[in-house]
């Protein structure tokens, strides 16, 4: 049975063209200023949060590049400061407020400076109210749904003495054909879908990123083809829950089908994706991962808690057994696959027994790596209302024990690589030593080795001679 065609949520061509006009207007302004001052306008962009935000920042940088701005590392030196914020946990928000406070004196020194705030935090009305009241140095506030309108909003902020605020409280739109400035020459992020419909009871993301909406498959394939032509070798497909890709498109498109099409794109050697929700990980996707040669043997599959009771409270829609069975199926079908996961420690009502279930899943799952977080209360989410909050010391103590177990397992798994020869995609010089080069295996393990700049973007074979908890070291063959 064919589904109903979804209603049009694409930003129109006319609107995109209008934004390009604002880019042009700001470019002219900047050019005139540059002539007078003999100094190019500069922007400083700080990004908090996940890959979605990192990728949104690449879009902001793309637009700013076309406006004639160059990026700088020093807030003091910049004409425009942008904070692309995250609100998934309290400490992400506190970091932003810390920076904002410190920016007051910068603005006093340079009143022409524009300070802009965007990203997930700004989709919360109480945050915007707070910033308006307390941090009057802010000139522009916009959210996640109207990133494409940034040229127009920046133009208004430059030409106004008041704070420009534009938060779209919509389920979200999709804008194609805006510039993107990718810094990495080897790998690229590609958004396949926006938003989330899952409403896990602890999580703020569905409230700030809107409902699930998939990009059209043609647009994604076109973008990846272009990346292949530009010489990029690896793509990571992004979405809060990539497994639901296509469900809203009203045709038979699935994530597995998208992977199949992308596997054919010339030039691209490796395909990764994140994040996958256990409840939506279909057999079709597992088989696609098994059969498609470019899709890497790595799966990030957050389980959040090992306790079936807590999982129900979290609204995750699977039990401990469902999750362990799913892992087994994945491991049987894709031998050698590396697994990673997210875990929340200290969800309201979590007992020692519940936590033991989490440790048990970590032991049985044998993940290559886990990302664990102390539960953080997010206003507006159901779990925040629970009276059964776990004391901070208990959370920290459990977190510590979890890390110890996982560090042992990561070490054990990495030791299996000793003396093996593996394929590494070379990404660049290591940050600490310019004679050492760094890259990743298909399983997403970081490998450091003796290399040279000729190797960047190439696949090399490395023999592993040293093993650490977070990385491997070796010699190029
Ligand atoms: N869509 C992805 C990631 C969402 S945010 C997914 O579903 O897996 C990334 C991680 O942050 C989540 O997996 C979860 O482990 C963690 N997280 C989300 N809300 C949190 C909260 N209130 N407190 C602590 N950790 C949280
Ligand atoms: Fe948050 Fe759950 Fe959606 Fe992930 S799936 S973004 S944890 S609500
Ligand atoms: Fe943070 Fe928004 Fe990502 S809340 S984790 S930046 S989707």
């Amino acid at each position: 049975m064919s589904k109903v065609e979804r209603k049009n949520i694409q930003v129109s061509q006319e609107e995109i063209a209008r934004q390009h006009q604002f880019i042009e207007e700001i470019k002219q302004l900047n050019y005139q200023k540059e002539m007078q001052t003999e100094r190019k306008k500069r922007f400083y962009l700080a990004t908090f949060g996940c890959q979605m935000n990192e990728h949104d920042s690449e879009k902001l940088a793309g637009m700013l590049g076309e406006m004639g701005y160059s990026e700088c590392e020093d807030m003091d030196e910049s004409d425009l400061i942008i904070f692309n914020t995250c609100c998934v946990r309290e400490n992400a928000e506190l970091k932003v407020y810390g920076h904002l406070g410190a920016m007051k004196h910068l603005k006093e020194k340079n009143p022409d400076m524009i300070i802009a705030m965007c990203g997930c935090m700004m989709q919360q009305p109480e945050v915007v109210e707070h910033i308006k009241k307390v941090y009057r140095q802010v000139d522009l506030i916009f959210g996640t749904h109207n990133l494409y309108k940034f040229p127009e909003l920046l133009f208004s902020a430059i030409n106004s003495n008041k704070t420009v605020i534009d938060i779209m409280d919509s389920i979200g739109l999709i804008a194609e054909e805006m510039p993107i400035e990718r810094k990495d020459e080897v790998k690229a992020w590609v958004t396949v879908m926006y938003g989330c419909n899952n409403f896990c009871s602890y999580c703020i993301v569905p409230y700030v990123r809107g409902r699930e909406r998939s990009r059209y498959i043609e647009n994604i394939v076109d973008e990846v083809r272009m990346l292949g032509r530009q010489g990029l070798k690896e793509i990571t497909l992004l979405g809060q829950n990539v497994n639901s890709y296509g469900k809203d498109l009203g045709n038979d498109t699935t994530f597995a089908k998208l992977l199949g099409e992308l596997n054919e794109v010339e030039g691209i050697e490796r395909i990764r994706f994140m994040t996958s929700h256990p409840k939506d990980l279909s057999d079709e996707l597992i088989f696609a991962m098994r059969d498609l040669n470019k899709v890497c043997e790595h799966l990030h599959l957050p389980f959040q808690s090992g306790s079936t009771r807590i999982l129900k409270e979290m609204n995750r829609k699977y039990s401990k057994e469902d999750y362990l069975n799913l892992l087994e199926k994945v491991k049987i079908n894709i031998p050698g696959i590396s697994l990673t996961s997210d875990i929340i420690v200290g969800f309201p009502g979590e007992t020692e027994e519940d936590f033991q279930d989490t440790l048990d899943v970590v032991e049985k799952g044998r993940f290559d790596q886990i990302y664990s977080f102390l539960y953080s209360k997010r206003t507006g989410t159901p779990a925040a209302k629970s009276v059964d909050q776990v004391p901070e010391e208990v959370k920290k103590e459990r977190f510590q024990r979890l890390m110890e177990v996982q560090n042992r397992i990561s070490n054990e798994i990495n030791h299996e690589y000793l003396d093996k020869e593996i394929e590494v995609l070379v990404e660049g010089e290591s940050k600490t030593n310019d004679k050492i080069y760094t890259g990743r295996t298909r399983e997403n393990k970081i490998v450091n080795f003796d290399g040279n700049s000729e190797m960047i973007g190439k696949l090399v074979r490395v023999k592993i001679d040293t093993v650490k908890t977070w990385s491997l070291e070796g010699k190029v063959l």
Side-chain angles (χ1 to χ4, degrees):
M1 197 177 73
S2 80
K3 292 181 226 155
V4 191
E5 182 75 20
R6 77 167 169 190
K7 74 175 193 315
N8 189 10
I9 53 166
Q10 301 292 129
V11 177
S12 68
Q13 295 274 334
E14 293 76 36
E15 177 58 23
I16 297 289
R18 214 168 69 80
Q19 295 304 326
H20 279 280
Q21 271 170 13
F22 282 108
I23 290 181
E24 202 48 45
E25 299 227 22
I26 299 175
K27 188 174 164 186
Q28 296 298 335
L29 280 178
N30 283 347
Y31 184 66
Q32 283 161 14
K33 264 271 155 57
E34 200 180 317
M35 290 288 113
Q36 287 163 12
T37 58
E38 293 185 8
R39 181 183 173 281
K40 213 170 151 73
K41 288 261 181 183
R42 298 168 198 186
F43 74 92
Y44 173 93
L45 173 56
T47 310
F48 303 82
C50 64
Q51 284 91 345
M52 315 275 164
N53 255 21
E54 293 283 351
H55 189 41
D56 280 350
S57 283
E58 292 183 332
K59 295 180 186 171
L60 289 168
M63 295 186 241
L64 288 163
E66 297 207 349
M67 292 171 196
Y69 285 93
S70 60
E71 187 161 9
C72 80
E73 306 281 311
D74 190 348
M75 280 199 235
D76 271 305
E77 298 276 303
S78 52
D79 305 281
L80 167 65
I81 295 180
I82 309 179
F83 279 82
N84 190 4
T85 62
C86 167
C87 55
V88 78
R89 285 171 290 275
E90 191 184 17
N91 52 10
E93 292 198 331
L94 293 178
K95 268 193 231 160
V96 170
Y97 285 127
H99 285 289
L100 258 183
M103 247 176 306
K104 195 161 180 197
H105 79 276
L106 282 182
K107 184 89 180 183
E108 281 161 6
K109 255 191 0 203
N110 176 7
D112 287 339
M113 172 188 269
I114 301 277
I115 299 177
M117 308 285 297
C118 64
C120 294
M121 252 174 105
M122 302 305 127
Q123 289 294 142
Q124 304 174 97
E126 67 279 9
V127 169
V128 175
E129 277 312 306
H130 182 67
I131 291 177
K132 263 190 345 199
K133 248 193 246 141
V134 182
Y135 301 98
R136 290 175 180 260
Q137 61 272 34
V138 174
D139 302 281
L140 169 59
I141 300 178
F142 60 104
T144 56
H145 298 318
N146 52 357
L147 197 80
Y148 70 93
K149 270 177 81 180
F150 173 62
E152 178 180 3
L153 299 173
L154 179 61
F155 186 80
S156 308
I158 292 170
N159 293 299
S160 155
N161 298 324
K162 293 210 189 91
T163 309
V164 174
I165 301 179
D166 191 306
I167 307 295
M168 228 188 239
D169 185 22
S170 76
I171 54 160
L173 301 170
I174 296 182
E176 298 289 347
E177 292 180 44
M178 294 303 286
I180 302 177
E181 165 78 33
R182 291 182 161 100
K183 288 210 187 84
D184 203 303
E185 289 169 6
V186 180
K187 46 185 194 170
W189 287 310
V190 176
T191 306
V192 301
M193 62 183 300
Y194 301 88
C196 180
N197 289 354
N198 289 325
F199 290 95
C200 302
S201 66
Y202 49 83
C203 184
I204 195 81
V205 172
Y207 304 89
V208 296
R209 286 273 171 178
R211 293 294 67 72
E212 285 177 359
R213 50 214 188 272
S214 306
R215 288 177 71 195
Y216 287 120
I217 197 161
E218 312 82 78
N219 291 336
I220 302 171
V221 174
D222 282 351
E223 183 177 349
V224 175
R225 280 201 186 119
M226 189 191 69
L227 294 170
R229 283 197 296 273
Q230 288 171 354
L232 279 106
K233 296 288 184 282
E234 178 178 305
I235 52 163
T236 301
L237 307 176
L238 292 182
Q240 292 299 348
N241 178 16
V242 289
N243 308 152
S244 353
Y245 172 76
K247 283 187 184 160
D248 58 321
L249 284 173
N251 50 33
D252 299 326
T253 310
T254 59
F255 185 60
K257 186 161 171 255
L258 172 67
L259 287 178
E261 293 216 11
L262 297 178
N263 199 61
E264 301 302 314
V265 175
E266 232 174 281
I268 300 297
E269 311 255 10
R270 288 179 172 187
I271 303 173
R272 305 185 184 280
F273 55 86
M274 66 189 311
T275 297
S276 301
H277 193 302
K279 80 173 164 55
D280 297 314
L281 189 77
S282 64
D283 288 355
E284 188 198 13
L285 177 56
I286 296 174
F287 299 151
M289 289 185 76
R290 178 194 63 190
D291 298 337
L292 298 170
N293 64 326
K294 292 181 183 172
V295 177
C296 290
E297 292 74 25
H298 169 227
L299 181 64
H300 183 61
L301 195 64
F303 71 91
Q304 313 296 0
S305 167
S307 153
T308 297
R309 188 180 71 82
I310 294 289
L311 285 168
K312 197 158 194 307
E313 295 288 317
M314 287 177 161
N315 192 29
R316 290 289 290 183
K317 305 207 162 63
Y318 53 87
S319 65
K320 176 184 179 186
E321 284 65 37
D322 293 338
Y323 185 80
L324 287 172
N325 290 339
L326 185 60
L327 281 191
E328 266 321 293
K329 185 155 62 171
V330 169
K331 286 178 184 173
I332 288 168
N333 280 288
I334 314 162
I337 189 163
S338 101
L339 295 163
T340 54
S341 196
D342 290 351
I343 298 171
I344 296 178
V345 177
F347 180 84
E350 183 188 81
T351 62
E352 176 59 28
E353 204 185 336
D354 293 319
F355 179 64
Q356 287 299 331
D357 276 325
T358 296
L359 289 180
D360 190 39
V361 174
V362 170
E363 290 282 3
K364 292 194 168 118
R366 287 192 70 77
F367 299 95
D368 289 70
Q369 209 169 317
I370 58 171
Y371 303 88
S372 27
F373 309 102
L374 300 181
Y375 168 74
S376 169
K377 217 165 141 177
R378 302 287 69 206
T379 309
T381 62
K385 296 194 197 87
S386 170
V387 288
D388 220 358
Q389 301 291 332
V390 176
E392 222 41 40
E393 321 80 77
V394 177
K395 284 188 210 170
K396 285 189 182 144
E397 191 267 336
R398 287 180 189 162
F399 184 89
Q400 201 50 40
R401 276 151 66 202
L402 181 60
M403 291 313 293
E404 278 161 25
V405 172
Q406 182 56 41
N407 285 351
R408 169 177 54 75
I409 296 172
S410 292
N411 241 313
E412 284 169 7
I413 294 178
N414 279 356
H415 264 94
E416 290 164 17
Y417 284 82
L418 201 58
D419 296 328
K420 292 233 169 83
E421 292 175 26
I422 40 176
E423 184 194 270
V424 175
L425 176 61
V426 185
E427 293 177 6
E429 282 175 11
S430 98
K431 287 201 181 87
T432 45
N433 180 341
D434 63 8
K435 294 212 172 46
I436 302 292
Y437 279 71
T438 188
R440 281 173 197 257
T441 67
R442 284 176 65 98
E443 299 85 8
N444 210 29
K445 297 222 169 275
I446 297 173
V447 183
N448 296 314
F449 51 91
D450 56 315
N452 60 55
S453 58
E454 304 269 293
M455 292 176 182
I456 295 174
K458 304 225 165 75
L459 294 168
V460 297
R461 295 198 66 78
V462 177
K463 184 163 185 190
I464 301 303
D465 54 28
T466 310
V467 166
K468 301 194 166 161
T469 310
W470 308 116
S471 63
L472 306 170
E473 288 171 13
K475 300 238 161 16
V476 177
L477 292 170

